[in-house]
Amino acid sequence: MTQRPRFPVTLDLHAGKPVATKNIASNGHATRTSGPNGTKTATAPVTRGLGLDSQAVRARMVQKLAAQGIADAAVLQAMGTVERHCFVDSALVNQAYEDTSLPIGLGQTISKPNVVARMIELLRHGHEGKLGRVLEIGTGCGYQAAVLSLLASEVYSIERLRGLHDKARDNLRAFRLANVHLLFGDGMAGYAKGAPYAGIIAAAGGEALPQAWADQLAMGGRLVAPMVTATGRQALVVLDKTPQGLKQSVLEAVHFVPLKSGIA
Ligand code: SAH
């Protein structure tokens, strides 16, 4: 099942709910609605609970990401554009731009910004323009799908928990991201209809990488996922599909929620 969010705008928090007050301009930067004298109107991006213009808070987050070693300018720009506070519960809005993972319900978490940026940087591995089709396993609240939508031609994002699939659809609705396709199902089987993928990114880690993911990767494509390694701990794994075969590299330790089979 495919759900397409409708409105092409980024979001502001207004009375705790996203409202469409900003548009992503053709350069990818958010533009703002302001009053006749440049004063902020009731719909200007002053976020309840955040207390500051969220654009400035995101700019600081991006500076930190760069200082932590994220070097891909396109990734930094996307991280600076997507309003992470619109994806977390109103009680957690003050922490939305801190480098921390946050609960999103049903025992799941939104990854910390540094991990999202790192994984997408790995996924792009120096691509000049946008990636082609990308598959995300574990939609969660939809935040990473929104970031990916700015960096890939099409994003297929699959979630096994109905409650989170619905939440992501609600969160993304006002963003008008026509290239994000939300799917409800078991991502361990990938999503064959969208294959082959230039990139596959998983936000949940299992004992092994499902064969379907490797099968659905395009030649030259890359998969980035957490996986339990020989040490019994999770690490980031990168799998490249090359004419010479699959090449796997194990990178730094990470802590993701478990990859589970079936739907719930
Ligand atoms: N990218 C998400 C992170 C969500 S956490 C975000 O930005 O919020 C990881 C998600 O993976 C959880 O919602 C969990 O339910 C989901 N998940 C775990 N196993 C899965 C599977 N086999 N198929 C699809 N989703 C899965």
Side-chain angles (χ1 to χ4, degrees), residues 127 129-135 148 151-155 196-199:
H127 266 264
K130 280 194 177 184
L131 285 172
R133 288 192 302 278
V134 167
L135 174 67
L148 286 168
L151 300 165
S153 64
E154 302 292 331
V155 179
Y197 297 101

Side-chain angles (χ1 to χ4, degrees), residues 87 102 104-111 116 136-146 148 157-161 164-165 183-189 202-205 210 213 256-263:
F87 293 85
L102 294 169
I104 54 173
L106 301 178
Q108 309 302 315
T109 51
I110 178 175
S111 307
V116 173
E136 178 190 39
I137 292 98
T139 311
C141 66
Y143 170 73
Q144 182 168 270
L148 286 168
S157 182
I158 188 160
E159 171 59 54
R160 65 177 288 277
L161 296 177
L164 287 176
H165 168 74
L183 309 153
F184 174 58
D186 182 354
M188 286 180 81
W213 297 358
F256 278 83
V257 295
L259 182 72
K260 293 189 176 168
S261 60
I263 52 171

Side-chain angles (χ1 to χ4, degrees), residues 8 11 18 26 51 71 79 88 104 123 145 150 158 160-161 178 186 191 198 214 221 224 239-240 258:
L11 302 176
S26 55
M79 296 293 294
V88 300
I104 54 173
L123 195 72
L150 302 177
I158 188 160
R160 65 177 288 277
L161 296 177
D186 182 354
Y191 182 64
V224 182
L239 194 71
D240 285 311

